[in-house]
Amino acid sequence: MSETSYFFCGVGGSGMAPLALMMRARGFAVEGSDRALDQSRGSAKFDFLRSRGIALHPQDGSGVTRPDQLVVASAAVEDTVPDLVAARAVGAEVRRRPQLLAELFGQASSRVGVAGTSGKSTVTAMLAWILDRAGLDPSVVNGADMRNFVTEETPFASARVGGPDLFVAEIDESDGSIALYSPTVAVVNNVSLDHKSMDELRELFAAFTGKADIAVLNLDNDETRRLAEARQEGMITYSLSDPAANLLACGPQERPDGVDFRLAEDGRSHIVRLLTPGLHNVSNALAAVAAARALGVPVDQAAEALSGFRGVRRRLEVVGTSGGVTVIDDFAHNPDKIAATLATLRAFPGRLLIMFQPHGYGPIRLMRAELAEAFAQGLACDDLLLIPEPVYFGGTADRSVGSAHLAEDLRGLGVQAEALPDRDACAGRLMELARPGDRIIVMGARDDGLTVFAEEMLRRLG
């Protein structure tokens, strides 16, 4: 057992929990705290962390008592949080999550960084499964639970602890920390407006791919196509439409529970049968196959592995059906993800009753017009969108723009949209409206309570 002790402030977060589990599996003493734990939310996840030997404390500073503790804080944790105040008082070192992940990432000889505005978690999970099936024993840190690695003993599987030589990580650009990583293989699915301006994003992604020996780039996105045109060599490209791509998806056939397509590669073709629906998942599959090819996995072997890929949690995840109404839990929260989810859902019949919780006040202020446009383009005239106030767990966020402003924009675009004060009000409205044939979609990010809400909707329907 290593003498180094880690304390994760925000340990239950989607980006923090896999890192805490990774450090614990590598033999380090690990402790942590979380606002959600103090608010009695997400108890199953915290029980799981405890079962892995991670000691949990209230987020009141009581767990940070020694200068030899290394305190790791998520991006959402402010300097005024008691744990960080306590760290300064006892002289403990404080690192942000991306710093620790970049350090672990850099220790591997083969490093795959999966980046882009949308699809990162799914591509990371697809690649992890391909590499696992190929016997390459990857270490993986993802931002979502990978269903192929979920077992009764491991109900939360956002990390896979493998060997030290191959590391795959979902890389986030939202806080600029993508600049900390030096991948040998850089995957960029797409680039579009999310947390930063387009000029900032272009600079970040160009630098990220510029460090890599091989860049995996999507020719169907204008921004990633520009990256490919600027690079010229040392890359693998993919597309659903451009025959110049190294990997091309041909003739996709959508099903309610998946999609089939032919993957063309250097004059050869391979049949891929995905268990995850939507054309966006065809693109994600191409990215994963391309990254695997960059690591020496034959394309036919990668394509075969994908036939057993079962997706990631909260990505168009069907919670269940009751009384003829299907409840779906989905992570979509930015314009691209929302557009992809709605396109997949609209390919099949059934009215959509959506409860969309914006993932913060800052994002709704930055992307207000783009969010409205994505919903307006993807919803039919009889669909309904309910919007509670953005997720907020405390802090100093500017709350001047909220859900009522977005709902007003949406109604101006002809969408049936209602801003409601909270999720309880949304639940009541959904129960009032739902009828056989409808689909209830619980949509949003950064809040484990959304899954609990979706499960509650299914119970109430019954």
Side-chain angles (χ1 to χ4, degrees):
M1 179 72 72
S2 170
E3 294 181 2
T4 303
S5 174
Y6 287 84
F7 187 98
F8 287 80
C9 182
V11 69
S14 61
M16 292 285 276
L19 262 186
L21 291 165
M22 180 75 71
M23 300 312 293
R24 179 62 187 148
R26 291 187 174 192
F28 295 98
V30 177
E31 302 172 85
S33 68
D34 202 283
R35 286 173 181 162
L37 177 65
D38 295 348
Q39 298 167 3
S40 301
R41 294 182 289 108
S43 58
K45 178 180 282 187
F46 295 118
D47 288 344
F48 171 65
L49 293 175
R50 287 191 188 96
S51 76
R52 287 296 185 266
I54 296 173
L56 300 180
H57 304 270
Q59 200 171 86
D60 59 5
S62 61
V64 182
T65 58
R66 309 183 310 277
D68 62 338
Q69 287 176 294
L70 198 162
V71 177
V72 183
S74 71
V77 172
E78 298 169 315
D79 289 337
T80 54
V81 167
D83 287 341
L84 299 194
V85 173
R88 291 193 294 272
V90 300
E93 180 184 353
V94 176
R95 289 187 203 167
R96 291 292 171 176
R97 173 197 176 267
Q99 293 175 297
L100 178 59
L101 178 55
E103 179 184 315
L104 293 176
F105 187 76
Q107 292 169 0
S109 53
S110 293
R111 305 174 299 280
V112 185
V114 181
T117 307
S118 302
K120 296 186 291 291
S121 297
T122 299
V123 173
T124 301
M126 285 177 165
L127 179 59
W129 184 240
I130 291 169
L131 299 177
D132 176 270
R133 295 295 87 190
L136 296 182
D137 194 26
S139 288
V140 183
V141 170
N142 203 346
D145 288 316
M146 302 175 285
R147 295 175 67 183
N148 285 86
F149 299 105
V150 170
T151 65
E152 189 173 333
E153 297 76 27
T154 309
F156 298 93
S158 51
R160 182 193 188 278
V161 181
D165 297 328
L166 174 56
F167 201 112
V168 179
E170 175 182 342
I171 306 297
D172 188 15
E173 82 290 344
S174 65
D175 58 0
S177 63
I178 188 173
L180 298 173
Y181 302 87
S182 294
T184 53
V185 178
V187 181
V188 183
N189 303 326
N190 42 64
V191 180
S192 62
L193 186 67
D194 195 349
H195 295 272
K196 292 185 174 294
S197 71
M198 288 306 301
D199 286 342
E200 289 176 291
L201 291 171
R202 289 178 186 122
E203 184 176 342
L204 286 169
F205 283 111
F208 177 68
T209 56
K211 298 174 188 175
D213 297 333
I214 299 176
V216 173
L217 299 169
N218 178 11
L219 296 187
D220 296 334
N221 176 264
D222 290 342
E223 296 295 336
T224 47
R225 175 181 282 276
R226 289 192 187 100
L227 289 173
E229 291 168 347
R231 189 177 178 93
Q232 296 297 321
E233 60 182 9
M235 62 182 167
I236 301 173
T237 58
Y238 64 93
S239 174
L240 274 68
S241 59
D242 189 342
N246 300 116
L247 300 178
L248 177 66
C250 304
Q253 299 292 316
E254 293 192 73
R255 312 185 312 273
D257 61 346
V259 58
D260 303 333
F261 66 96
R262 183 171 59 85
L263 195 166
E265 173 230 3
D266 299 333
R268 291 167 290 182
S269 67
H270 316 273
I271 300 301
V272 181
R273 182 175 175 82
L274 295 179
L275 301 176
T276 48
L279 294 179
H280 63 292
N281 277 319
V282 175
S283 185
N284 291 336
L286 292 176
V289 171
R293 184 174 116 165
L295 295 168
V297 178
V299 169
D300 58 347
Q301 188 175 341
E304 183 179 358
L306 284 176
S307 66
F309 176 70
R310 296 192 285 114
V312 295
R313 286 215 175 116
R314 298 213 66 236
R315 304 312 190 266
L316 281 171
E317 184 175 8
V318 175
V319 180
T321 300
S322 182
V325 179
T326 298
V327 179
I328 297 170
D329 192 17
D330 190 68
F331 184 72
H333 60 279
N334 65 35
D336 272 9
K337 289 183 172 72
I338 290 165
T341 289
L342 294 179
T344 302
L345 292 168
R346 283 266 61 91
F348 302 97
R351 183 174 65 150
L352 303 181
L353 302 177
I354 298 176
M355 196 283 285
F356 169 66
Q357 178 178 278
H359 62 297
Y361 285 91
I364 201 173
R365 191 169 57 253
L366 175 67
M367 298 182 290
R368 178 176 162 185
E370 290 80 8
L371 287 167
E373 185 63 26
F375 279 116
Q377 291 294 321
L379 294 175
C381 60
D382 61 340
D383 296 332
L384 177 66
L385 180 62
L386 306 178
I387 316 173
E389 280 302 290
V391 62
Y392 176 70
F393 297 133
T396 58
D398 178 355
R399 300 166 70 187
S400 60
V401 176
S403 296
H405 300 90
L406 177 58
E408 182 181 356
D409 294 348
L410 285 158
R411 288 192 293 270
L413 295 171
V415 175
Q416 291 192 70
E418 301 176 12
L420 298 174
D422 52 35
R423 289 202 299 241
D424 285 344
C426 292
R429 188 81 172 110
L430 289 169
M431 290 302 101
E432 174 187 327
L433 292 167
R435 59 177 185 259
D438 287 346
R439 290 167 289 173
I440 292 176
I441 320 299
V442 178
M443 189 181 287
R446 291 186 180 170
D447 184 356
D448 290 341
L450 291 168
T451 294
V452 176
F453 179 87
E455 293 166 348
E456 177 61 21
M457 289 300 93
L458 185 65
R459 281 193 293 270
R460 290 180 65 168
L461 286 167

